[in-house]
């Protein structure tokens, strides 16, 4: 059965945007608001369990004695910080750039060449997707992704499957005609709950995380070593391509990772 669409998670899967993009932008927004708060690399890793930047801010504020005590004030501060964070994130992307993970653009180009549609399935804000994609694919980037479901488009963010369910509706496809690429346990849970086969490329923040339900887990699309199950034999390429995704999808070996 042909693969009709590849569904791309963004943060962590397409690029390592969390540590060097969103985290830095949050810290700059704290500074700009005159707040003495700073999220270390380690603390941000803990906070990533909360998806959505505004939700992450509210979660962190609940642990701070110096955050506003009134709910309304807290909400207003989280909103204001989040708006500014996204502006700063776009500036960081423009000024210094965050590269696509190796092998990502290769697979995107292969999808285009072989008429496999692509969708963006992310819980980040639409503006953040635009900033990243424009920087790498140019002004016509939207034509690469006929379907895009972002944080604003859903009531419930990952690990809720809503992002994926919505993408399937817009693509008018059954889950088994598609395949998702993810990096986080929450993202995998969301795809699995929508019955979509999911392949995991490990990102810096979820390098050792326990991931349940993926059909394959590996270090990245740029290499054929280190995958479970093993990447199929392919003497002519170093990358993971559509044929590999198809082989894994057709075998549907559910891989669990416990170490
Ligand atoms: C990752 C997220 C997002 C980003 C921040 O999304 O959880 O919240 O960290 O983005 P995904 P916003 O891996 O699904 O792409 O501040 O725009 O929410
Ligand atoms: Mg991710």
């Amino acid at each position: 059965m042909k693969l009709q669409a590849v569904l791309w998670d963004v943060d962590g899967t397409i690029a390592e945007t969390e540590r060097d993009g969103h985290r830095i932008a949050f810290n700059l927004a704290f500074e700009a608001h005159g707040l003495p708060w700073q999220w270390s690399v380690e603390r941000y890793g803990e906070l990533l369990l909360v998806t959505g930047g505004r939700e992450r801010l509210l979660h962190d504020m609940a642990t701070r004695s110096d955050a506003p005590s009134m709910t309304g004030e807290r909400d207003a501060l989280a909103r204001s910080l989040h708006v500014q964070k996204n502006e700063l994130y776009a500036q960081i992307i423009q000024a210094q750039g965050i590269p696509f993970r190796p092998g990502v653009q290769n697979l995107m180009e292969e999808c285009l060449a072989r008429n496999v549609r692509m969708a963006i399935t992310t819980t980040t804000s639409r503006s953040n997707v635009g900033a990243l994609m424009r920087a790498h694919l140019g002004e016509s980037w939207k034509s690469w992704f006929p379907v895009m479901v972002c944080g604003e488009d859903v009531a419930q963010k990952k690990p809720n499957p809503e992002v994926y369910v919505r993408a399937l509706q817009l693509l008018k496809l059954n889950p088994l005609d598609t395949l998702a690429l993810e990096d986080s346990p929450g993202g995998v849970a969301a795809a699995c709950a929508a019955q979509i086969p999911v392949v995991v490329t490990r990102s810096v923040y979820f390098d050792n995380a326990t991931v349940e339900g993926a059909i394959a887990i590996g270090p990245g699309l740029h290499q054929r070593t280190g995958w479970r199950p093993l990447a199929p034999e392919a003497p002519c390429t170093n990358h993971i391509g559509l044929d590999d995704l198809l082989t894994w999808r057709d075998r549907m070996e559910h891989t669990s990772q416990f170490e």
Side-chain angles (χ1 to χ4, degrees):
M1 196 174 27
K2 185 181 181 275
L3 191 57
Q4 304 284 348
V6 169
L7 316 186
W8 291 90
D9 168 52
V10 175
D11 297 298
T13 301
I14 292 183
E16 288 286 4
T17 46
E18 295 290 11
R19 187 188 57 194
D20 305 328
H22 291 292
R23 186 185 69 88
I24 305 290
F26 275 117
N27 285 339
L28 289 170
F30 295 146
E31 253 177 72
H33 276 69
L35 293 162
W37 306 343
Q38 285 288 290
W39 285 344
S40 67
V41 170
E42 197 192 358
R43 175 68 181 144
Y44 195 69
E46 294 163 6
L47 290 168
L48 278 182
L49 296 180
V50 181
T51 51
R54 204 176 50 80
E55 292 83 346
R56 193 167 298 141
L57 283 162
L58 287 169
H59 174 87
D60 186 61
M61 280 190 218
T63 69
R64 292 184 179 276
S65 54
D66 57 347
S69 52
M70 307 287 282
T71 314
E73 273 177 53
R74 237 182 235 192
D75 282 350
L77 179 57
R79 258 172 224 290
S80 169
L81 282 166
H82 191 233
V83 167
Q84 191 165 24
K85 185 279 282 182
N86 282 351
E87 286 165 9
L88 290 161
Y89 175 82
Q91 286 170 24
I92 290 170
I93 300 274
Q94 259 182 1
Q96 64 215 48
I98 295 187
F100 274 3
R101 290 184 59 185
V104 162
Q105 194 156 337
N106 252 61
L107 182 61
M108 287 179 177
E109 284 167 2
E110 192 187 352
C111 287
L112 283 191
R114 294 176 63 175
N115 289 321
V116 173
R117 282 187 289 163
M118 290 189 283
I120 294 289
T121 37
T122 177
T123 44
T124 200
S125 311
R126 194 166 280 262
S127 65
N128 298 336
V129 179
L132 183 71
M133 296 300 171
R134 200 170 293 113
H136 291 281
L137 306 177
E139 286 303 326
S140 66
W141 70 272
K142 281 188 187 162
S143 65
W144 292 51
F145 304 96
V147 163
M148 184 162 47
V149 187
C150 303
E152 298 92 329
D153 303 323
V154 291
Q156 309 244 45
K157 294 184 176 165
K158 298 174 189 174
N160 188 288
E162 195 178 340
V163 166
Y164 282 109
V165 171
R166 184 93 193 98
L168 290 174
Q169 284 167 350
L170 293 169
L171 287 162
K172 299 188 173 58
L173 289 175
N174 292 315
L176 292 183
D177 296 328
T178 72
L179 185 142
L181 291 164
E182 273 285 356
D183 71 303
S184 68
V188 173
C192 286
Q195 316 293 322
I196 296 171
V198 52
V199 167
V200 171
T201 51
R202 294 283 196 185
S203 59
V204 286
Y205 270 123
F206 297 106
D207 198 23
N208 294 308
T210 298
V211 176
E212 297 286 350
I215 61 167
I217 302 179
L221 297 169
H222 61 301
Q223 68 177 75
R224 306 187 63 77
T225 51
W227 283 86
R228 291 185 342 123
L230 291 179
E233 289 283 312
C236 298
T237 176
N238 295 324
H239 288 78
I240 297 296
L242 273 177
D243 288 337
D244 302 302
L245 302 185
L246 260 169
T247 304
W248 281 322
R249 199 273 318 260
D250 291 345
R251 284 192 207 147
M252 274 294 210
E253 257 179 78
H254 284 255
T255 303
S256 290
Q257 144 93 36
F258 297 104
E259 60 265 22

